[in-house]
Amino acid sequence: MRSAMTRTALWKQAVLAAFMMALAAAAWAFRGDITALWSEAGPPETAAAAADAPGVPVFTAEVADRSDDLTFSAIGTGFARRSVTLRAPSSGRITQLSIDPGRTFAAGDTLMRLDDTDEKLAVALAEARLARASSERDRYRRLQDSGAAAVSRFEEVETAHRVAEIELEKARAELADRHLLAPFDGVPGIAQVEVGDRVSAEDEIASYDDRRELLVEFDLPETLLSRVEVGLDVTATTPAVEGRRFEGRVTAIDSRVNRATRTARVRAAVANEADVLRPGASFSVTLELPGPVHPSVPELALQFSRGALHVWRVVDGTVEKVELRLVRRRAGLVIVDGPLAAGDHVVVEGTQRLRPGVAVNVLNAPAGGSS
């Protein structure tokens, strides 16, 4: 007996479940008509307003212009405004090394000195030879004026004097090559040599940077190139300096798009007066990219039909269908491209019964006016 009662209860539950599913399917299939009837019924005051005016009851919103501005972020690498690798100007033993990491040097300051004993002697010898050649030339000039010196001998003396000048210039240049000078105002890195080391010409000594301003390079998609121009403000952060944001500006845009990545290299300059930024560090760069102005409508106004987007615009109490292209979604609004203008009114509620040319009754129209 109990088994029979159990089977009867299960049968009733199955019938009830099937009925509820059928009811839900019917409600979903006729959801548009149900919503329309609900909107027409609405609160008592809304229903009364709808009864007083002909047309389908709808709510509208005003179209507004909005800039399609974008925020773009990218990861870039920092470079010094000017950066070189210091190398030994000639071979020899280091007798003086002034390179200290973090110390600022002015252009022309001595960074390193090599043993220059032989070069100083060579300069002194060249100076003595030039002095003797100058005295000989002056003596023959006096004789030439009195007619007592042969022209050929005078020319030999002039040539010897010129050779002595050249030898002195060469000796002085070789002496200068014993000194490594700062090429511009900047800061050296850690030296790879010590006093007493012997170096060969072109041996690497240290890095040297002008980092009063850092250049941050990053890649920009070609689709955004038209929005970027020299002088555009940027904001940069780096894990090397936590909790700080640095302001900069775009200083250069590459003349070519990389065929493999479809991006263009952009360079921004970031001020570094406090000297806290370092070349080679990674940077997160943010740019606010201005865009063209387009109409914007509430998301509720946008309808999709037959593969195209459209809105219903209210004109003189009737609606017309306006096809649009979606540009971007923004916090409940949709920026669109199409024949809409600021001040137009589009339907946001009550779209289920609309057809081109149908009269509408705008329930939220301002008192004394109509959309």
Side-chain angles (χ1 to χ4, degrees):
M1 176 67 70
R2 180 174 298 176
S3 176
M5 293 177 64
T6 302
R7 285 196 297 272
T8 301
L10 291 175
W11 178 80
K12 289 181 179 180
Q13 290 179 5
V15 172
L16 181 60
F19 175 75
M20 295 299 292
M21 291 176 63
L23 183 61
W28 175 258
F30 296 98
R31 64 188 184 281
D33 293 336
I34 294 173
T35 303
L37 291 173
W38 181 271
S39 299
E40 290 181 6
E45 60 274 15
T46 303
D52 293 340
V56 178
V58 296
F59 286 86
T60 64
E62 187 173 341
V63 177
D65 285 338
R66 188 181 181 92
S67 296
D68 182 28
D69 298 339
L70 291 176
T71 299
F72 173 76
S73 297
I75 300 299
T77 302
F79 299 89
R81 182 169 63 176
R82 287 185 291 181
S83 182
V84 298
T85 297
L86 299 174
R87 297 184 182 277
S90 58
S91 301
R93 181 174 56 86
I94 300 174
T95 59
Q96 177 186 337
L97 186 65
S98 303
I99 295 175
D100 295 320
R103 177 182 172 185
T104 301
F105 290 87
D109 286 350
T110 299
L111 302 177
M112 183 182 73
R113 189 189 302 271
L114 299 176
D115 180 32
D116 56 5
T117 303
D118 292 342
E119 286 71 23
K120 286 180 178 179
L121 291 175
V123 169
L125 180 59
E127 288 175 341
R129 287 175 175 172
L130 178 60
R132 178 178 177 181
S134 297
S135 177
E136 188 77 1
R137 183 193 58 178
D138 294 341
R139 185 170 70 86
Y140 269 88
R141 279 182 176 176
R142 290 192 296 270
L143 293 175
Q144 182 73 15
D145 292 339
S146 64
V151 174
S152 58
R153 179 54 184 162
F154 179 71
E155 290 176 351
E156 291 177 0
V157 170
E158 287 282 2
T159 301
H161 181 270
R162 180 56 186 154
V163 169
E165 288 181 328
I166 295 173
E167 289 178 346
L168 178 58
E169 292 175 3
K170 180 181 177 182
R172 287 173 174 171
E174 291 176 350
L175 177 61
D177 279 347
R178 311 306 286 176
H179 301 164
L180 177 61
L181 306 180
F184 46 78
D185 296 353
V187 180
I190 297 175
Q192 301 185 27
V193 294
E194 298 289 346
V195 173
D197 284 346
R198 296 194 65 86
V199 295
S200 300
E202 298 301 315
D203 278 357
E204 186 172 322
I205 303 301
S207 61
Y208 191 82
D209 303 312
D210 177 2
R211 60 189 191 207
R212 290 171 295 178
E213 183 179 66
L214 252 62
L215 304 177
V216 181
E217 294 187 356
F218 56 93
D219 293 328
L220 182 78
E222 63 178 346
T223 54
L224 300 179
L225 268 177
S226 61
R227 296 175 179 247
V228 178
E229 60 183 13
V230 173
L232 185 69
D233 291 336
V234 304
T235 302
T237 60
T238 174
V241 186
E242 295 184 3
R244 288 190 58 180
R245 301 171 68 88
F246 300 89
E247 303 300 323
R249 67 193 187 285
V250 174
T251 58
I253 303 171
D254 204 351
S255 60
R256 292 185 178 182
V257 173
N258 186 302
R259 290 182 295 178
T261 62
R262 298 302 177 190
T263 59
R265 182 57 56 94
V266 176
R267 176 182 294 171
V270 178
N272 188 30
E273 293 91 348
D275 196 31
V276 295
L277 302 176
R278 294 292 183 269
S282 64
F283 286 83
S284 176
V285 182
T286 302
L287 296 86
E288 298 296 334
L289 305 180
V293 176
H294 291 289
S296 66
V297 299
E299 283 189 278
L300 291 174
L302 205 61
Q303 306 294 311
F304 184 80
S305 176
R306 297 180 181 179
L309 295 173
H310 68 273
V311 295
W312 293 104
R313 176 168 54 191
V314 178
V315 180
D316 297 331
T318 63
V319 293
E320 61 181 10
K321 189 176 184 179
V322 181
E323 292 193 354
L324 304 167
R325 180 181 65 86
L326 176 65
V327 176
R328 210 165 312 282
R329 296 182 183 272
R330 288 283 176 82
L333 292 177
V334 181
I335 300 175
V336 295
D337 183 23
L340 283 180
D344 288 348
H345 287 79
V346 294
V347 178
V348 293
E349 291 186 37
T351 60
Q352 294 83 0
R353 298 168 55 190
L354 298 182
R355 298 293 183 273
V358 168
V360 293
N361 175 22
V362 181
L363 300 182
N364 63 332
S370 60
S371 297

